[in-house]
Amino acid sequence: MPCCKGQVLTYNGRQVCLHCVVLLALALGAQALTPSHHLSPADLDRLKAFLNQPFTDLESAYYSIVGLSKLGIAVSDEHAACQFLKSQLDPSNIDSLFFASEASQALSGCQIPLSNETRDLLLAAVSEDSTMSQIHRSVSTLSSLGLPVASQEVVSALTTRITKEDNVLAIILALQTASRLSQQAELGGILEEIEDLAARLDDLGGIYLQFEEGLEATAHFVTAAYALSDHVDIEPPLKEDQVVQLVNSVFSKKSWDSLSEAFSVASAAAAFSGNRFHIPVVVTSQGPAAVSHRQPMLQLQVTDILSQPLPSISVQVESAHAVASKSVVLSQAPFTLRDGIFELNFMDSQPASGYYQFAVAVTGDSRLVANHVEMKVKVSTEVAINNMDLSVVDKDQSIGTKTTRVEYPSKAKTSFTADSHQNFAMSFQLVDVNTGVELTPHQTFVRLHNQKTGQEVVFVAEPDSKNVYKFELDTAERKSEFDSISGTYALYLIVGDATLENPILWNVADVVLKFLDEEIPSVIQPKNLYVPKPEIKHLFRDPEKKPPTVVSNTFTALVLSPLLLLFILWIKLGANISNFSFTPSCILFHLGHAAMLGLMYVYWTQLNMFQTLKYLAIIGSLTFLAGNRMLAQKAVKRYRPGC
Amino acid sequence: MSSSVFSVLSKFVAEYRRSTPAKLKVVDAYLLYILLTGALQFFYCVLVGTFPFNSFLSGFISCVGAFVLGVCLRIQINPQNKSEFLSLSPERAFADFLFAHAILHLVVVNFIG
């Protein structure tokens, strides 16, 4: 592979390879990104058909004519198109002039009439005060009409507009405009904008790289970047992975909403397949990537983005190793080109059946991008069954075994009988038809099918250390699988694998099984899993055990008894209410206090806290006032006992 | 030993009978009543179990609270403590006693369930 894949800088006239060692190391380890989307021939036809719409106005005519020319085909009726352009042209409008002149360039023998006013109008539009779109269109028109353009003035106008209109679409238009200017002009500043724009791209999952402005902006960026880079002959600062990601973004959409979108995709496709620096390569296999003895050729199509063949390239397999064993089967083998398809006879290396990982390299053009591809190739083969031996073996080995050999695909002539004292045994070998190597496919099943009851039981046959498959049926042990139903069972052998071209379903023999404790053979019922289950009744928590009522009543009485004691003591002490004065405040106080205690009882039985607090506030304040008066009177009486 | 304890006790009781004013004896009788009620409640709980726990708690706390408030009242109206409660008249002490009891009863009845 050419050494200078990375950025190439000119330094004192010598070319210095940067990142060479780094890239080599990366190439050894990492897997390079390859395009997951491109324009297949069907997509290309769809794009061409979409662009080939009848013209509605000058803009749509521009998109159709120029878009189709970029894809390499001409409009159906060039003369009518030219007439349409001339009739729709408005010489006082820059946009109209732009569409007409660009489209007329794409048609052969179409000339747009010019006048001095037109030229003056176009030249006047090139100034710092016009929008970027106006500058782009006027410069493009002047250039396609063959009129002289003051390149330096344009460059300064563009630079000013870039700083004023700092958005992606404006900068892309600036790049396009710069590609139409003279090569002697100072285009370095505008060239640097490519790198700034590339930094603004959004990376989606490492697979897509696009502007948030959408597909059109991304496609126009590709067109403009390569147009300018080709014009000044300096490689654009885009890494290989970025180029592939841009390819994925532009070509992931296969049906387009508008003519302008289709036009942008067509321009980008032309840019990717025709620029001087990066040509993305698309490697696809013709049909599934599978080879076998009947179809030993691995066929690959190697094209560019537009599904066109790449001239003068060579394709070779760098290495091919088996996925399972990692042993290298092929190294540095070239493909041969035949009718535009690259072929390799993989079966010449006599690979065993299975999957192989290929590393394919496309060389021949230094511009190729994503030219190292990894692909998985399947090698299929056919299987043959050898030495199928069926026998009925007695458990205690007293009677000699009788082995019957059956050849595929015929069935054994006699049926085999096995009861609970005997085992039924089967052994066979699976070999590759072409190489004679023993195979161990993924699926080797033995199926016993009872014709009468429709019951079937499937077992797996396992290979032993010598890759001989053995299957033994112990009637006593396995009677539960058969539901102990005796009868004639048809024995089938099923062999299958992804790498086998001939999967096998073979009715080998009939086996009569006799089980002990035979039940009356009944039609197999599906198991009743979906009947309603017994209802669960909710069990409330058992209330806690309470003591018997006698005990609680006794204790209630007991607890109230100290009250009696209190009254007795008080009487003994001589407490009396002889000093009770019948003043209103005194009566009111006692009544209020009694009411408060009564309220407590009512609270316990009926009320809630809020109501209680309300009543308590009322009664309490009354009691307080009365009590205050009463106690004051008492205090006065105490201090002046005479009164 | 027991005789000395007994003689101390009998001396104490005699002294109590002689020197305590009647008012305080009334309050003491009340306190004894509260004490007995609380003890009986506790004894019942130990015997039968704590169901229903909230009722037991509220009853017991009621006794304890009433006892504490009674003790406060007794301290405040004891003429021997007058020097410490210069601004607090016995009437005021009684009014506080009643107010605190109102709140205690409210809480107890709320919790008794």
Side-chain angles (χ1 to χ4, degrees):
Chain A
M1 118 182 134
C3 184
C4 301
K5 230 18 198 319
Q7 291 213 355
V8 173
L9 291 184
T10 353
Y11 180 72
N12 282 350
R14 279 185 303 133
Q15 297 223 323
V16 178
C17 263
L18 283 179
H19 312 309
C20 218
V21 175
V22 177
L23 273 177
L24 202 61
L26 278 177
L28 287 173
Q31 194 177 22
L33 198 60
T34 50
S36 40
H37 300 284
H38 68 287
L39 286 178
S40 67
D43 297 329
L44 203 54
D45 288 335
R46 203 179 317 121
L47 183 59
K48 287 178 185 169
F50 190 76
L51 283 171
N52 211 353
Q53 287 179 15
F55 312 141
T56 48
D57 61 359
L58 210 50
E59 188 170 352
S60 72
Y62 162 71
Y63 288 138
S64 298
I65 297 171
V66 181
L68 285 168
S69 79
K70 294 215 181 202
L71 293 176
I73 65 171
V75 186
S76 35
D77 190 349
E78 289 203 344
H79 185 71
C82 194
Q83 289 303 110
F84 181 82
L85 292 177
K86 287 189 186 152
S87 65
Q88 293 278 322
L89 173 64
D90 174 11
S92 59
N93 182 315
I94 294 182
D95 295 333
S96 170
L97 283 165
F98 167 71
F99 293 135
S101 60
E102 293 282 292
S104 69
Q105 280 296 101
L107 296 169
S108 56
C110 191
Q111 288 282 344
I112 297 293
L114 255 190
S115 71
N116 278 347
E117 289 87 21
T118 319
R119 193 191 55 196
D120 293 336
L121 174 71
L122 291 170
L123 286 171
V126 177
S127 84
E128 291 175 359
D129 303 316
S130 322
T131 66
M132 187 68 87
S133 167
Q134 284 174 323
I135 300 178
H136 165 246
R137 288 185 173 181
S138 48
V139 170
S140 305
T141 315
L142 285 167
S143 154
S144 55
L145 290 176
L147 297 169
V149 180
S151 296
Q152 217 36 56
E153 259 184 58
V154 177
V155 170
S156 59
L158 286 177
T159 323
T160 323
R161 288 318 298 178
I162 287 177
T163 42
K164 277 202 196 151
E165 291 179 47
D166 186 27
N167 64 67
V168 164
L169 294 165
I171 303 178
I172 292 175
L173 287 175
L175 294 175
Q176 275 285 20
T177 319
S179 68
R180 310 295 285 262
L181 300 174
S182 145
Q183 282 176 329
Q184 271 74 42
E186 287 280 320
L187 301 175
I190 303 190
L191 194 65
E192 283 169 8
E193 294 295 332
I194 299 182
E195 198 164 358
D196 292 343
L197 277 182
R200 278 168 144 176
L201 289 159
D202 296 325
D203 186 327
L204 302 177
I207 301 183
Y208 300 100
L209 202 61
Q210 59 191 52
F211 286 113
E212 62 180 13
E213 282 83 356
L215 172 62
E216 261 188 73
T218 315
H220 279 305
F221 165 69
V222 168
T223 318
Y226 282 112
L228 186 56
S229 301
D230 281 352
H231 189 62
V232 299
D233 203 14
I234 295 180
E235 188 176 347
L238 295 169
K239 298 196 265 288
E240 239 190 78
D241 279 354
Q242 285 181 311
V243 175
V244 176
Q245 286 177 315
L246 284 168
V247 165
N248 288 339
S249 300
V250 173
F251 300 113
S252 60
K253 196 169 177 189
K254 303 295 191 179
S255 71
W256 305 275
D257 298 326
S258 62
L259 263 181
S260 60
E261 196 173 57
F263 169 72
S264 67
V265 171
S267 312
F272 272 129
S273 55
N275 72 79
R276 277 194 245 165
F277 301 101
H278 301 141
I279 305 285
V281 167
V282 177
V283 177
T284 47
S285 64
Q286 189 92 313
V291 294
S292 64
H293 277 276
R294 271 178 293 169
Q295 171 45 321
M297 301 296 244
L298 179 65
Q299 293 176 325
L300 294 180
Q301 267 188 319
V302 180
T303 63
D304 63 6
I305 289 299
L306 285 171
S307 298
Q308 285 163 353
L310 293 162
S312 65
I313 50 162
S314 58
V315 183
Q316 71 168 8
V317 179
E318 303 229 300
S319 80
H321 63 86
V323 169
S325 61
K326 304 254 190 294
S327 57
V328 176
V329 175
L330 208 56
S331 180
Q332 307 292 331
F335 280 76
T336 44
L337 178 60
R338 195 170 65 97
D339 291 339
I341 302 204
F342 288 90
E343 291 184 334
L344 174 74
N345 190 331
F346 189 39
M347 293 312 282
D348 280 347
S349 344
Q350 280 160 358
S353 66
Y355 287 94
Y356 292 84
Q357 188 78 1
F358 272 53
V360 176
V362 180
T363 47
D365 193 333
S366 60
R367 300 173 298 168
L368 297 177
V369 165
N371 54 345
H372 290 268
V373 180
E374 302 251 327
M375 50 200 306
K376 221 174 194 165
V377 178
K378 179 172 88 168
V379 176
S380 342
T381 184
E382 295 184 19
V383 71
I385 308 180
N386 287 353
N387 309 336
M388 169 65 88
D389 292 327
L390 305 170
S391 54
V392 178
V393 183
D394 222 57
K395 273 203 190 147
D396 49 12
Q397 303 273 316
S398 55
I399 307 170
T401 65
K402 275 179 300 171
T403 312
T404 315
R405 173 150 298 191
V406 190
E407 291 295 325
Y408 177 73
S410 50
K411 189 168 157 175
K413 292 187 202 55
T414 55
S415 64
F416 296 83
T417 312
D419 63 17
S420 53
H421 299 297
Q422 293 158 328
N423 287 350
F424 175 77
M426 193 164 92
S427 84
F428 55 95
Q429 262 191 316
L430 297 171
V431 293
D432 186 333
V433 163
N434 306 105
T435 61
V437 173
E438 285 127 11
L439 292 176
T440 49
H442 289 156
Q443 299 173 325
T444 46
F445 300 135
V446 175
R447 173 175 173 252
L448 289 139
H449 181 227
N450 187 331
Q451 245 93 23
K452 260 192 290 207
T453 63
Q455 183 195 25
E456 70 173 18
V457 186
V458 182
F459 298 99
V460 179
E462 304 263 342
D464 64 11
S465 52
K466 293 202 204 58
N467 280 346
V468 176
Y469 278 87
K470 282 199 165 57
F471 167 68
E472 249 192 44
L473 180 62
D474 185 340
T475 31
E477 212 180 300
R478 298 277 185 200
K479 69 172 183 213
S480 57
E481 262 105 350
F482 290 91
D483 282 343
S484 299
I485 297 174
S486 309
T488 313
Y489 287 83
L491 186 97
Y492 290 87
L493 177 67
I494 302 172
V495 177
D497 190 87
T499 55
L500 287 182
E501 296 202 315
N502 60 335
I504 290 176
L505 174 67
W506 178 22
N507 187 354
V508 184
D510 283 330
V511 181
V512 180
L513 295 174
K514 287 205 177 66
F515 295 100
L516 294 175
D517 332 315
E518 182 177 336
E519 297 161 6
I520 302 160
S522 55
V523 183
I524 301 298
Q525 302 265 4
K527 291 213 170 59
N528 282 357
L529 291 173
Y530 303 108
V531 293
K533 294 225 169 37
E535 195 178 326
I536 303 172
K537 297 245 179 306
H538 180 75
L539 287 174
F540 286 100
R541 201 171 73 148
D542 288 326
E544 279 190 38
K545 278 187 63 182
K546 281 193 280 214
T549 337
V550 178
V551 176
S552 3
N553 287 346
T554 317
F555 266 91
T556 315
L558 214 58
V559 160
L560 290 174
S561 58
L563 195 63
L564 210 65
L565 178 67
L566 179 69
F567 285 138
I568 295 171
L569 280 176
W570 273 353
I571 291 168
K572 264 194 78 180
L573 286 170
N576 52 32
I577 52 171
S578 55
N579 233 357
F580 192 81
S581 55
F582 286 92
T583 53
S585 49
C586 200
I587 298 172
L588 202 60
F589 165 74
H590 280 102
L591 280 176
H593 193 228
M596 272 166 66
L597 293 173
L599 180 66
M600 287 298 129
Y601 176 74
V602 175
Y603 174 35
W604 182 36
T605 47
Q606 283 169 13
L607 303 173
N608 63 32
M609 180 62 102
F610 301 106
Q611 293 163 317
T612 314
L613 281 178
K614 189 172 63 178
Y615 294 135
L616 194 65
I618 300 168
I619 300 174
S621 44
L622 278 173
T623 314
F624 172 72
L625 289 169
N628 201 17
R629 178 78 79 83
M630 180 198 80
L631 286 173
Q633 287 169 353
K634 278 249 157 51
V636 163
K637 255 205 213 148
R638 193 157 51 85
Y639 281 125
R640 288 192 287 187
C643 296
Chain B
M1 193 64 195
S2 60
S3 59
S4 58
V5 169
F6 184 70
S7 59
V8 165
L9 268 178
S10 56
K11 264 216 179 111
F12 170 74
V13 169
E15 183 70 32
Y16 173 78
R17 272 208 178 123
R18 192 165 53 81
S19 60
T20 329
K23 250 196 195 154
L24 291 182
K25 280 195 193 152
V26 165
V27 177
D28 285 339
Y30 169 71
L31 289 175
L32 180 68
Y33 151 67
I34 294 287
L35 187 74
L36 283 175
T37 314
L40 277 169
Q41 281 186 357
F42 189 72
F43 174 55
Y44 172 79
C45 181
V46 164
L47 200 68
V48 178
T50 56
F51 182 78
F53 196 48
N54 57 316
S55 309
F56 159 68
L57 273 184
S58 74
F60 194 66
I61 294 293
S62 160
C63 291
V64 169
F67 188 82
V68 167
L69 289 172
V71 166
C72 288
L73 181 67
R74 190 189 192 281
I75 290 172
Q76 282 170 353
I77 63 175
N78 197 346
Q80 286 174 334
N81 290 341
K82 213 166 180 158
S83 54
E84 297 193 32
F85 296 105
L86 277 174
S87 60
L88 208 68
S89 62
E91 285 74 27
R92 175 65 199 278
F94 185 63
D96 287 342
F97 174 78
L98 286 180
F99 179 66
H101 258 289
I103 298 175
L104 177 69
H105 286 157
L106 192 67
V107 171
V108 161
V109 171
N110 183 38
F111 201 51
I112 206 162

